[in-house]
Amino acid sequence: MAFGGSRFVQPTMTRTVVYAAKGGIAIDIGDILYLDTGDGFAKPLSSKVASGTVNTDQVFVHDNIVGVARSGRIAAQTTDGTVTVETDCIYEAECASQTWVAGALVTAFSSGTAAAGAIQNQKVDTTALTTEAIGVVVANYPSATTSVRCRIYGKAARQVF
């Protein structure tokens, strides 16, 4: 299990929602989650079988993101349960080495392959398109960095895009 709870960099704003979680699917604290409308369960992005096209995957995440997992589940939990999700949070995400400016839009990171695991659970990428955005950068990074502080918005909290 990859504990991502240390990625929250501000105290919770108590914007949490409890979602149903499917038994047998591991969810780590700090995973970005989407709502699988086929079965109604919140799942980590890596459990989605990606389309094979980066932009298509990013639009999917934009349209279905619920937020960041505040609680976790292990794969050995085979019965359905729940997961607590931050729908609006300041989060320190992994990213490809690059510079960032405050206010830049972030989106989910997809490798562009058509497979489960192609969309990463705790990594973001840059985008100029509001149709792909899941958050905004909240600090300046004039030197290349591999982690970026951003505000992630789930669908329930999204105000701008």
Side-chain angles (χ1 to χ4, degrees):
M1 223 173 166
F3 180 74
S6 62
R7 297 179 182 281
F8 294 103
V9 294
Q10 298 279 332
T12 180
M13 296 170 57
T14 64
R15 294 188 177 158
T16 60
V17 176
V18 176
Y19 284 92
K22 184 80 171 160
I25 296 179
I27 298 174
D28 293 330
I29 295 172
D31 281 354
I32 301 171
L33 305 177
Y34 76 98
L35 183 64
D36 185 335
T37 56
D39 62 15
F41 291 103
K43 298 178 181 175
L45 296 179
S46 64
S47 68
K48 169 74 176 155
V49 176
S51 69
T53 305
V54 171
N55 298 99
T56 301
D57 295 341
Q58 291 169 337
V59 169
F60 169 84
V61 173
H62 169 271
D63 291 347
N64 294 282
I65 183 176
V66 292
V68 179
R70 187 61 146 176
S71 64
R73 291 180 52 88
I74 59 173
Q77 291 176 284
T78 56
T79 57
D80 297 346
T82 60
V83 61
T84 303
V85 178
E86 290 287 335
T87 62
D88 178 356
C89 62
I90 307 295
Y91 180 76
E92 189 159 338
E94 297 171 14
C95 63
S97 182
Q98 60 188 315
T99 61
W100 296 85
V101 295
L105 297 176
V106 296
T107 186
F109 180 87
S110 172
S111 67
T113 57
I119 307 172
Q120 294 190 20
N121 294 335
Q122 298 182 7
K123 189 171 183 178
V124 297
D125 202 354
T126 186
T127 185
L129 304 174
T130 56
T131 56
E132 296 174 353
I134 61 170
V136 295
V137 176
V138 297
N140 285 314
Y141 297 86
S143 299
T145 183
T146 57
S147 66
V148 61
R149 192 169 291 181
C150 49
R151 187 168 186 176
I152 301 290
Y153 296 96
K155 283 179 67 173
R158 192 170 300 139
Q159 301 169 19
V160 181
F161 36 85

